[in-house]
Amino acid sequence: MRKTRKAAAVLTAFAMAAVSAVPAMADEIKDLYDYELQSREIETWNVLYSQLATDLQVLTNLYDGLLESDEYGKLVPAVAESWETEDNGITWTFHLRQGVKWVDQNGNEKGEVTAQDFLTGLEWVLNFHKNDATNTAMPMEMIQGAEDYYNMTSELDADAGLALTAESPEFADTVGIKQSMIIHYSIPV
């Protein structure tokens, strides 16, 4: 009986020492490498269209959004240098960083990133005829008028739907996002 208790005490002490050593080992990890196998090639370069984790693990390292998450999951500035809400999270204003450039695959500057670029991407996502209804769930749930615009484009013939742009009155009036160097998003209540 004594040997059993002694063995149990030793095992318990060993287990506790092993558990308490885990955070110390985690602090020693300096580099984490993630990679893609050749057999898991990405299927598209269009970050607005893809829904596959394989694609997004690569593509999210090539594009900046308005915000990004830091290593702790906290939202931090990316293309938007600041953001705020004045009505408890119903309408959001994003202030874009000046001097952000579009570049090609060789690093050549192609132009300044503007608020209009984000609206063009959003119009493309919400236009039934442009993206085959891919990745529409989140904007339709989070942006006032987004579902109405999607439904409106789905009722148009393909030529009329493809002719719409972010500058079209149908998009501006339905979705209601204002732009300059500031982007205002309204969330449905």
Side-chain angles (χ1 to χ4, degrees):
M1 183 93 114
R2 274 188 174 190
K3 288 182 182 179
T4 306
R5 284 187 187 167
K6 197 176 214 180
V10 169
L11 286 173
T12 301
F14 179 74
M16 290 179 72
V19 170
S20 65
V22 170
M25 292 185 324
D27 290 340
E28 294 174 14
I29 296 174
K30 300 290 184 214
D31 297 313
L32 174 64
Y33 297 97
D34 191 13
Y35 58 90
E36 291 299 323
L37 301 175
Q38 186 176 8
S39 62
R40 289 181 43 193
E41 274 190 35
I42 65 174
E43 292 185 12
T44 180
W45 286 97
N46 187 343
V47 72
L48 301 175
Y49 186 76
S50 179
Q51 295 186 53
L52 299 175
T54 305
D55 293 354
L56 296 176
Q57 285 176 344
V58 173
L59 295 176
T60 56
N61 290 304
L62 302 175
Y63 299 96
D64 280 330
L66 292 170
L67 309 175
E68 62 186 19
S69 298
D70 67 11
E71 65 271 20
Y72 303 105
K74 180 182 174 196
L75 290 176
V76 295
V79 175
E81 65 184 355
S82 64
W83 60 97
E84 76 261 346
T85 181
E86 296 177 5
D87 52 8
N88 295 320
I90 295 174
T91 304
W92 288 87
T93 302
F94 298 88
H95 301 271
L96 301 184
R97 238 181 332 131
Q98 298 292 317
V100 177
K101 305 287 184 187
W102 286 105
V103 295
D104 66 12
Q105 71 275 11
N106 298 316
N108 300 316
E109 291 183 3
K110 294 298 182 180
E112 182 117 2
V113 173
T114 67
Q116 186 63 42
D117 297 328
F118 287 92
L119 296 180
T120 298
L122 181 62
E123 192 282 330
W124 189 89
V125 167
L126 294 175
N127 189 313
F128 175 84
H129 296 286
K130 292 182 180 176
N131 82 343
D132 302 325
T134 302
N135 291 332
T136 58
M138 188 180 297
M140 287 195 312
E141 290 176 15
M142 298 184 73
I143 300 174
Q144 188 172 7
E147 186 171 7
D148 296 333
Y149 184 76
Y150 173 81
N151 291 335
M152 186 267 303
T153 62
S154 71
E155 294 170 1
L156 297 173
D157 65 61
D159 290 335
L162 292 171
L164 293 173
T165 67
E167 294 88 8
S168 299
E170 295 86 350
F171 181 74
D173 294 343
T174 307
V175 179
I177 295 177
K178 302 171 191 163
Q179 65 92 18
S180 56
M181 284 309 285
I182 300 172
I183 301 174
H184 299 274
Y185 284 103
S186 294
I187 299 172
V189 181

